[in-house]
Amino acid sequence: MKLWLDTAKIEEIREIASWGVLEGVTTNPSLMARAGTADRKSVARTIDEIVGGPVSAEVISTDAEGMIEEAREILTWSPHVVVKIPTTEEGLKAMKEISKWENGRINATLIFSANQALLAAKAGATYVSVFIGRLDDAGQDGMEVIRETAAIFELHDIPAEIVAASIRHPRHVIEAAISGAHIATIPYAVMKKMIKHPLTDVGIVRFLEDWKKVAG
Ligand code: G3P
């Protein structure tokens, strides 16, 4: 499972990229607002320079024509940019058209059911983003949607990659990997928690103390 970062904050991306484990980044209008910028182009370009992998930038339009027009521009911003399209009826129409283009990389977003994932994949999405945290928040089992989608895609040889999105905690990452997600897009705070374990810190202190006893 590939590890992406779910943020538009450049300093967070630089820090996690320095670990050598980062394979992509997703942004959306809310994450842009949290980063305090509306300049999607410069954010996407900077991220691509840092990560050199898929970077999702979302359309603002809600009608197919507007989404297609935005996608035409967004896909020129950097070599790895992916256009994020909401999974609606209008979104499906836009995906079908964009997927015909040579550079038509699509991340179908706001997916809350395996049926939406199936439809997005049929419309030509490269990635389908299932929002597991928001499903859990609504009292549903977000991971079940990942499991169902993974089973359907495997059974029917559907090439779209499943992105576990709206991740809330480190257990979500482990469960997404076991459930068949190809990618987890992880908030910065969760990524920082993934590397931490108190026993690792205690172990380092003990090793250094013991080393001092023999090495002086
Ligand atoms: O990648 C999707 C993600 O940004 C949504 O997360 O926390 O707003 O549900 P959240």
Side-chain angles (χ1 to χ4, degrees), residues 56-181:
S56 294
E58 188 156 341
V59 297
I60 308 300
S61 308
T62 52
D63 63 302
E65 207 180 311
M67 290 176 189
I68 292 165
E69 204 178 301
E70 274 189 72
R72 220 180 276 287
E73 198 209 318
I74 288 173
L75 289 164
T76 64
W77 287 347
S78 78
H80 301 99
V81 78
V82 177
V83 65
K84 225 175 181 188
I85 307 274
T87 309
T88 58
E89 290 182 27
E90 289 298 302
L92 290 180
K93 292 181 208 167
M95 289 179 213
K96 193 70 206 172
E97 173 59 27
I98 296 162
S99 67
K100 293 178 193 156
W101 308 343
E102 206 184 324
N103 65 349
R105 299 172 296 273
I106 299 160
N107 183 350
T109 191
L110 287 168
I111 289 180
F112 296 95
S113 73
N115 275 329
Q116 287 180 311
L118 178 61
L119 287 164
K122 289 276 178 194
T126 322
Y127 307 102
V128 295
S129 286
V130 180
F131 278 35
I132 55 179
R134 291 192 196 182
L135 279 164
D136 288 359
D137 291 347
Q140 286 178 254
D141 182 0
M143 211 54 71
E144 182 59 16
V145 177
I146 298 279
R147 281 192 290 273
E148 287 178 348
T149 306
I152 292 166
F153 284 15
E154 171 79 15
L155 192 60
H156 297 285
D157 274 331
I158 293 172
E161 291 195 83
I162 301 164
V163 183
S166 182
I167 281 180
R168 298 271 188 266
H169 49 73
R171 278 304 305 175
H172 266 158
V173 180
I174 294 169
E175 286 161 22
I178 291 172
S179 303

